[in-house]
Amino acid sequence: VQLQASGGGLVQAGGSLRLSCKASGIIFRVNDMNWYRQAPGKQRELVATITTEGSTNYADSVKGRFTISRDNNRDTMDLEMKSLKPEDTAVYYCSSRRTGYFSREYIHWGQGTLVTVSS
């Protein structure tokens, strides 16, 4: 299984970035997909989720600024980030999650991509 995150970089406050996550080795369409982030010295936090049905959920801190999407034909997930703030600076990770038989969970992580927002 491989989740390849890309699109991070340095951007000024108020700017935009688009992160992408390419999945391989999983049946993408049956996995809920997530973006997490981890800022220096802080715990990893859930940023956004998109379910197999396309329902989305966002952390309060990014609502109205970030948009998560997925393309089941290309096995990709994106995170469109607008109006970026310095506090959005973090390593962003994509993650897949599937619940199998007997409620067993299958979770996979990508390697992360760094987003730095300068003030």
Side-chain angles (χ1 to χ4, degrees):
V1 177
Q2 187 172 17
L3 299 176
Q4 184 70 38
S6 61
L10 175 64
V11 63
Q12 288 188 331
S16 300
L17 277 176
R18 188 179 187 94
L19 305 183
S20 292
C21 177
K22 172 67 175 176
S24 60
I26 60 172
I27 303 175
F28 185 78
R29 68 180 185 278
V30 301
N31 280 264
D32 292 339
M33 298 298 296
N34 309 285
W35 284 101
Y36 285 79
R37 68 185 180 187
Q38 187 167 19
K42 295 188 177 181
Q43 289 188 332
R44 190 173 297 189
E45 64 171 343
L46 179 62
V47 175
T49 296
I50 185 164
T51 69
T52 56
E53 293 84 13
S55 297
T56 59
N57 196 26
Y58 298 91
D60 287 343
S61 59
V62 306
K63 280 182 181 176
R65 300 188 298 120
F66 290 12
T67 302
I68 189 172
S69 61
R70 65 188 296 162
D71 185 338
N72 290 339
N73 292 320
R74 295 173 56 230
D75 294 351
T76 58
M77 170 182 65
D78 288 350
L79 186 68
E80 183 74 34
M81 305 185 295
K82 298 181 179 180
S83 302
L84 284 162
K85 305 175 181 180
E87 51 264 42
D88 295 318
T89 295
V91 177
Y92 284 72
Y93 299 89
C94 58
S95 172
S96 67
R97 176 180 174 179
R98 179 177 68 86
T99 301
Y101 292 112
F102 308 109
S103 299
R104 179 178 176 178
E105 291 198 333
Y106 299 84
I107 299 172
H108 301 285
W109 293 90
Q111 86 289 356
T113 185
L114 176 63
V115 172
T116 303
V117 184
S118 63
S119 57

